[in-house]
Amino acid sequence: MEHQVSHRLPRVLIFPLPAQGPVNSMLKLAELLALQGLHVTFLNTQFTHNRLLLHADIQARFATYPGFLFKTISDGLPDDHPRSGDTVMEVIRSINTESKSVFRHMLVSDELGSENSPSVTCIIVDGIFGGFATDIANELHIPIIHFRTLGACCIWVNLCIPKVIEGRELPIRGEEDMDRLIRNVPGTERFLRCRDLPSFCRARNLTDPDLQVFVQQTLHSPRAQAIILNTFEDLEGPIISHIRTLCPNIYSIGPLHMHLKLRLANNEASSQSSNNLFEVDRSCIAWLDAQPPKSIIYISFGSFTVMTRNQLIEFWYGLVNSNARFLWVARLDLVAGDGEEAQIPLELLEESRERGFIVGWAPQEEVLAHPAVGGFLTHSGWNSTLESIVAGVPMICWPYFADQQVNSRFVSEVWKIGIDIKDVCDRKIVEKMLNDLMVERKEEFSKAADEISRLARQSVNEGGSSYYNLDRLIEDIRLTSSGRVGSY
Ligand code: UDP
């Protein structure tokens, strides 16, 4: 059955991966489109939507945009599924298999629209759902754009994985093989090692389901009319050029959080965005206010990372022994295990009471922009990386999974704005790296981070590449929605 595309107002459907980072960046994109007068439907899983209602101000904020709708869809998992930490791949797999027919039905029955814009005229979907969503979009003749919420560096590596496998560079043959350079990812031959490939490439068996999801979904990217990337040309231009050989129409419009901030600057409709799935503890801002400039190392491992108790203890000893002042985000489920096992030992807490502050979840963008923060010990999630880049804060990278292994290598070897300690969790090394970042090599890293921060800001200002690309995206959505031909 052919879907009748309405010639009334355009309506963009946005469907994110239900996790903190992707929801955050796609809500920012949604707001940027709504600011330009486009009608947007933001489709959340029921679980994510409930968390946003609890911890963020989304209802009131988006109610100010005409035609903005929130809708929900089931992720196909039972109510008591945790949907956190290590289980994110189960969520992705479930949506890819279980939500397909509901998604199609929602589009066909026009239940995602409003009176003035009843039909979806453009779909923007997280690329991880690119397979089924593109099948449906093509069947219904609705233009589809894949939003890859990862860095271009990881997208490019994913696109090359079949070649890497063909060239017999995978599977990795044990620990002694981890520093071998990879030859089949053009542009990265000089520095990308086995250990820097996305974590799923560590599977011994190449039919591993997580590896397959990551690779197969990325291979659907060239089927989309266009790709949106939350990055900017001055950061990843050479890598984006490689991706363009397979996906010619790319809108690099990041860093989205900065872009939104600038475009909202003169707009009274909405002045700040809070897209948290966790309860934010703002008490750390007053504590930071009382600290000397650039004296604090901010420590956060994002929304998924789970570490062992042993790793937690090594980080704490490293921190305590380095004498660094710190703000630590200790998510409730950061450490595997229950009760005492998952707690920071009291004697270590005591030792650092004077120098540290702990919260369950921080207002991270604000923390990174705070003058007291001089470094970031991070898991290298793409959003955290971009937020640190914009704030000009150098990083120590301890990647956990997925794209983070690639991001951290680019931070240290390409952009030279931090240190990569992947696969190591030893108190002596943590102590030394903290000392390098915050004292010994502080000048060198600060200078590099300031320069990249300047370029990031320039890209989203009028005349910058991301600014231009966002205008082009909006214009193309309008043209294709009205039945005229846009550039995609
Ligand atoms: N974040 C936050 N407060 C925290 C920790 C993280 O607001 O205490 C936000 C952070 O600003 C970022 C997102 O959560 O936008 C995490 O996304 P990222 O891609 O870095 O990592 P993920 O959680 O997806 O692994």
Side-chain angles (χ1 to χ4, degrees), residues 97-128:
T97 52
E98 304 301 320
S99 306
K100 187 173 173 165
S101 58
V102 185
F103 185 78
R104 185 183 180 285
H105 176 76
M106 286 176 136
L107 284 164
V108 172
S109 61
D110 277 351
E111 64 188 86
L112 297 168
S114 63
E115 203 180 320
N116 288 336
S117 48
S119 304
V120 169
T121 55
C122 173
I123 299 172
I124 299 180
V125 67
D126 191 302
I128 201 79

Side-chain angles (χ1 to χ4, degrees), residues 125 134 138 144-146 220-227 247-249 488:
V125 67
T134 309
N138 287 347
I144 183 162
I145 303 176
H146 292 186
H220 286 292
S221 296
R223 297 175 59 214
Q225 269 84 17
I227 308 287
C247 313
N249 195 17
Y488 60 75

Side-chain angles (χ1 to χ4, degrees), residues 20-21 24 276 298 300 302-304 329 361-362 364 379 381-384 387 404:
Q20 179 67 79
N24 196 7
N276 286 293
Y298 170 60
S300 165
S303 58
F304 286 120
V329 177
W361 192 253
Q364 181 165 303
H379 71 307
W382 186 244
N383 291 281
S384 296
E387 288 159 15
Q404 298 155 15

